[in-house]
Amino acid sequence: MGFRDDCSIERTLEIVGEKWTFLVLREAFNGVRRFADMQAMTGAPRQVLSARLARLVSEGLLRKVPYREPGQRQRAEYRLTDKGRDLYPLLVALMHWGDKYLAGEDGPPVLLTHRDCGAPIELRFRCAEGHEVGGPREVTPVPGRGAHLESA
C-alpha cells in the first residue's frame, strides 16, 4: 500500500517552490513590505515580482495593506499572515543547509541570533513527547487521516 497521492510536500511546493517566491518571503521576514523595496532587495523583474506577490496574497501567505505617502497615490504594503509566518522554519532550514554546504571560506553571509540573548538560532526536531529526533532514520511515516490509500 502507498500513501503518496496526497503529498503535503508537493502541495506546498506548488505554492512556494520557486526561487523568486522564496526571495520575496525572505524579504518579508526581514521586514520589507513595499514593492519597490522588495524589487531592489531581490532583483526580481517587475512582472515576476508582481505575479509572485499576487500568488502569495491569493494563497493567504501575505496580505495587502493600503498606504499613501503625502502627495502620492495609494499603494499597498505586503505583510505576512500567520500562514506565511509559519514558513519561517522552512526558510531558516534552507539557509542553514546553504550555510553548511555552499558558504565560502569566510563562512555564512548572515547569522541568525536570538534578539533577547544573542545566541545563534538552531533548528531542532522533537516528537510530541519532547524527545530530540536526530534525523530521518528516527522517523516512521504512517498514513494520516487525510491519506488516500491505494491498493497494490
Side-chain angles (χ1 to χ4, degrees):
M1 290 194 158
F3 54 98
R4 301 204 187 263
D5 283 353
D6 295 321
C7 177
S8 291
I9 295 170
E10 184 175 344
R11 289 180 187 165
T12 302
L13 287 174
E14 286 176 9
I15 298 170
V16 299
E18 196 272 333
K19 169 187 156 181
W20 295 115
T21 301
F22 275 110
L23 295 180
V24 167
L25 288 169
R26 176 195 68 195
E27 295 310 320
F29 284 118
N30 287 327
V32 177
R33 295 180 173 170
R34 297 183 177 179
F35 186 95
D37 296 333
M38 281 200 184
Q39 188 174 25
M41 297 303 291
T42 63
R46 187 170 187 77
Q47 286 182 309
V48 170
L49 180 57
S50 182
R52 293 311 172 272
L53 287 168
R55 176 76 190 270
L56 290 169
V57 168
S58 73
E59 294 290 347
L61 281 78
L62 295 175
R63 62 186 172 90
K64 287 172 82 168
V65 177
Y67 77 93
R68 183 189 308 263
E69 294 286 342
Q72 300 289 319
R73 67 181 174 86
Q74 182 171 300
R75 297 178 187 263
E77 289 184 336
Y78 297 89
R79 298 187 185 180
L80 287 159
T81 63
D82 289 343
K83 185 177 179 181
R85 278 188 292 279
D86 282 347
L87 286 171
Y88 190 65
L90 177 62
L91 267 72
V92 172
L94 288 170
M95 179 182 160
H96 284 180
W97 186 90
D99 290 348
K100 183 175 181 177
Y101 294 106
L102 304 173
E105 289 182 21
D106 293 335
V110 174
L111 298 174
L112 300 177
T113 60
H114 184 217
R115 180 172 286 153
D116 289 348
C117 72
I121 299 296
E122 297 177 349
L123 288 178
R124 303 225 182 245
F125 286 110
R126 288 186 173 81
C127 73
E129 296 293 324
H131 304 112
E132 192 89 15
V133 177
R137 290 185 176 153
E138 296 178 32
V139 175
T140 302
V142 297
R145 289 181 38 197
H148 298 136
L149 298 173
E150 57 187 50
S151 49

